[in-house]
Amino acid sequence: MTSGTSSTFRIGGEIEVRRMGFGAMRLPTEAGAPRTASIALLRRAVELGVTLIDTAYMYGWGANEELLVEALHPYPDDLLIATKVAIEQSAPGAEAQVNGRPEFLREQVEQALRRLRVERIGLLQMHRLDPEVPLADQLGTLRELQLDGRIGHIGLSEVTVDELEEARRIVDVASVQNRYSVLDREHEAVLDACDAAEIAFLPWRPVHPAASTATAEIAAVAAELDATAAQVALAWLLDRSPVVLPIPGTASLDHLAENVAAANLRLSDEQRERLDRIAKI
């Protein structure tokens, strides 16, 4: 296990971001006080030094991306907004479905460019791979858009080691976004593969719900460091590998500040080993 001590990472070897990012999925987008609060929180995140914000078309079917525009456009030069495509809703209220057809991906990318008011999406991620469409067709489409200058770097989400290896034979994969935390290590092998290839790994749900009440070991380490259980969980992720870029989401200004501050938390070797031993679930 490689220790992750650097505070920044270059996605695709090019885009330097601070490793503690922000996931915008939870932010309310409805008009009025909730939207005003979401805008204030996004602006505060940037003030606190966040340079990576994760969104997706699926989050409100474009509404989340539009919220980011209202809050942050024109974007700071060092801010990377990463979005995701390949999910559709056939009708209002219908269940989300994976769609990796080339024509659909092209249209989604063009819509994302318009919504985000950019000419190029720095990091465009496949929300899910479509098992009904050849992978070469899906990623080949994104590669063409990349060559056209519409996409900077290509990322994946919820993939296996084998899928990652197959994808890397088609395109340069800059990031992988899988579920992972100190209490949920199902995708350990995928993280190890990303570590070996220096591919950014963006764990979603980086603070497992159980960390809110904390296991005994997490609670003990938190008490020793005068920190919260969530901060310990995030510090463990940052320490896990230099390619890990947590994207915790919150609608609370207090929790946002706590999450960002977790980047400064340092675990001792002994504390890290205790957390490493927590049973996988």
Side-chain angles (χ1 to χ4, degrees):
M1 181 180 293
T2 304
S3 177
T5 55
S6 175
S7 62
T8 64
F9 182 81
R10 289 187 179 273
I11 296 177
E14 176 191 12
I15 307 175
E16 186 171 24
V17 296
R18 293 190 180 181
R19 290 177 58 207
M20 186 66 75
F22 178 78
M25 181 180 70
R26 296 183 183 182
L27 293 179
T29 58
E30 60 267 28
R35 188 178 187 88
T36 299
S38 293
I39 289 171
L41 186 136
L42 285 166
R43 291 173 178 170
R44 182 58 179 156
V46 171
E47 289 173 357
L48 290 173
V50 171
T51 56
L52 168 62
I53 296 179
D54 176 79
T55 184
Y57 170 64
M58 183 183 173
Y59 305 159
W61 306 112
N64 196 269
E65 292 171 324
E66 292 168 351
L67 176 71
L68 296 183
V69 171
E70 184 175 348
L72 301 172
H73 193 275
Y75 308 115
D77 291 340
D78 62 348
L79 179 63
L80 172 64
I81 293 180
T83 193
K84 297 185 282 295
V85 296
I87 300 288
E88 69 173 335
Q89 186 183 45
S90 58
E95 289 188 10
Q97 296 179 321
V98 179
N99 187 340
R101 298 194 310 272
E103 63 274 15
F104 181 75
L105 294 178
R106 287 183 178 278
E107 178 60 24
Q108 279 214 316
V109 170
E110 290 303 320
Q111 289 179 5
L113 287 164
R114 287 194 293 270
R115 277 192 301 270
L116 291 170
R117 298 185 193 175
V118 294
E119 295 182 356
R120 180 176 181 264
I121 297 170
L123 177 60
L124 191 285
Q125 303 164 99
M126 288 287 289
H127 211 142
R128 294 291 185 274
L129 298 178
D130 190 339
E132 304 300 323
V133 179
L135 187 60
D137 291 349
Q138 298 177 68
L139 298 184
T141 298
L142 298 189
R143 175 60 177 157
E144 290 173 3
L145 289 166
Q146 188 179 44
L147 291 173
D148 289 342
R150 311 300 271 166
I151 296 171
H153 295 278
I154 297 169
L156 307 174
S157 182
E158 284 303 283
V159 292
T160 64
V161 171
D162 289 344
E163 288 170 336
L164 175 58
E165 290 179 355
E166 184 180 358
R168 294 185 66 207
R169 289 193 285 268
I170 303 168
V171 296
D172 289 331
V173 177
S175 70
V176 168
Q177 190 170 146
N178 278 22
R179 192 188 70 250
Y180 186 81
S181 73
V182 65
L183 294 176
D184 181 358
R185 306 185 203 176
E186 177 183 348
H187 298 293
E188 192 98 51
V190 179
L191 170 52
D192 288 340
C194 288
D195 192 355
E198 297 187 351
I199 294 171
F201 185 88
L202 284 62
W204 65 269
R205 198 190 291 166
V207 179
H208 191 284
S212 298
T213 53
T215 66
E217 204 61 79
I218 294 174
V221 173
E224 292 164 12
L225 295 173
D226 191 22
T228 67
Q231 286 179 316
V232 169
L234 290 169
W236 180 86
L237 282 170
L238 290 170
D239 202 62
R240 170 64 177 83
S241 162
V243 307
V244 173
L245 281 60
I247 47 171
T250 181
S252 162
L253 285 169
D254 288 342
H255 289 163
L256 170 67
E258 288 178 2
N259 291 343
V260 173
N264 298 319
L265 206 61
R266 294 291 177 262
L267 302 174
S268 69
D269 291 344
E270 187 265 343
Q271 289 168 333
R272 185 188 316 115
E273 290 170 2
R274 285 156 55 193
L275 295 172
D276 287 345
R277 290 196 297 267
I278 292 176
K280 300 176 184 180
I281 63 171

